[in-house]
Amino acid sequence: MPLYEFRCQECRTAFEELVAASQGTEKVVCPQCGSKMVKKIISAGSFRIAGSGGAIPSGALSGCSSKSGFS
Ligand SMILES: [Zn+2]
């Protein structure tokens, strides 16, 4: 069973829940307030790396075309 991350839209509580594929995420309720207004969070490390913006080396952006202007 995959472990999903959820965040309650009511009380902003983040929690993890094991959800079976047949069960679906519709029945997941917030353990804090019992609200059904929970949103599944896609927790992938690649998203955080891409979102940081600092992973791209400067050499990749400054190609031959930009360097030709200085020569
Ligand atoms: Zn809640």
Side-chain angles (χ1 to χ4, degrees), residues 5-57:
E5 267 188 81
F6 293 90
R7 183 178 289 275
C8 177
Q9 303 295 290
E10 296 285 341
C11 67
R12 303 267 180 188
T13 298
F15 60 97
E16 293 177 334
E17 187 87 19
L18 282 168
V19 181
S22 57
Q23 181 184 345
T25 58
E26 289 81 7
K27 294 178 181 177
V28 177
V29 295
C30 173
Q32 192 71 27
C33 69
S35 172
K36 293 180 180 176
M37 295 286 292
V38 294
K39 190 175 183 180
K40 187 166 75 174
I41 302 170
I42 301 172
S43 58
S46 59
F47 279 100
R48 291 174 188 168
I49 295 171
S52 65
I56 302 171

